[in-house]
Amino acid sequence: MVAQADQLIKVATSMEMEALGQRYAAGCPAGARIYLQGDLGAGKTTWVRGFLRGWQYTGTVKSPTYTLVETYHVHGQTIHHLDLYRINDPDELESIGIREYLDGAGICLVEWPEKGGELLAAPDIMVGIAMNGFKRNVRMQSYSSTGTQLLAALE
């Protein structure tokens, strides 16, 4: 997998992380796959919360660590938030119906995608969050024409 486009953004606060996620909601098409990588506490769910706020979702956004999937329906769009942290074997994804979530109809936001192995298709955008003291370095990389267009629109 080779990135087509790459952006590095420095984030100092959780409010900035949420605002960053919100920016990427604008123009994000149905079927987009956005994967989020980073250590525990790096800000993946905060980014997702911002993304949902960008779609005008006003309810509680919680990490689906124990439920594995939270689905939101906002303004005619379905957004699936998956957290694969507790997955021990990629084959477990078949039991939660992973193919239905990645069917191209809804937007999929996937935390810990590396746990999905070959069952996950390549993302449109990979959000890599690295801790840098109390700050975060967020690397946005596109792996499809959809991802490249989305990143280019926000430069």
Side-chain angles (χ1 to χ4, degrees), residues 70-91:
E70 291 288 336
T71 298
Y72 303 89
H73 301 282
V74 287
H75 298 287
Q77 179 63 61
T78 300
I79 301 171
H80 304 291
H81 178 199
L82 293 87
D83 184 332
L84 307 184
Y85 180 73
R86 294 184 337 122
I87 296 293
N88 294 313
D89 185 313
D91 290 336

Side-chain angles (χ1 to χ4, degrees), residues 58-138:
T58 58
T60 301
V61 177
K62 56 188 174 200
S63 175
T65 300
Y66 295 102
T67 58
L68 300 180
V69 181
E70 291 288 336
T71 298
Y72 303 89
H73 301 282
V74 287
H75 298 287
Q77 179 63 61
T78 300
I79 301 171
H80 304 291
H81 178 199
L82 293 87
D83 184 332
L84 307 184
Y85 180 73
R86 294 184 337 122
I87 296 293
N88 294 313
D89 185 313
D91 290 336
E92 292 176 47
L93 295 175
E94 292 291 352
S95 68
I96 67 164
I98 191 69
R99 294 176 201 277
E100 294 171 22
Y101 296 113
L102 299 172
D103 66 0
I107 295 171
C108 285
L109 309 172
V110 182
E111 295 185 37
W112 301 95
E114 60 275 13
K115 299 254 188 170
E118 297 296 319
L119 288 176
L120 291 181
D124 293 302
I125 294 178
M126 179 70 75
V127 180
I129 305 171
M131 298 193 201
N132 183 5
F134 291 107
K135 297 180 181 180
R136 308 288 190 264
N137 293 331
V138 181

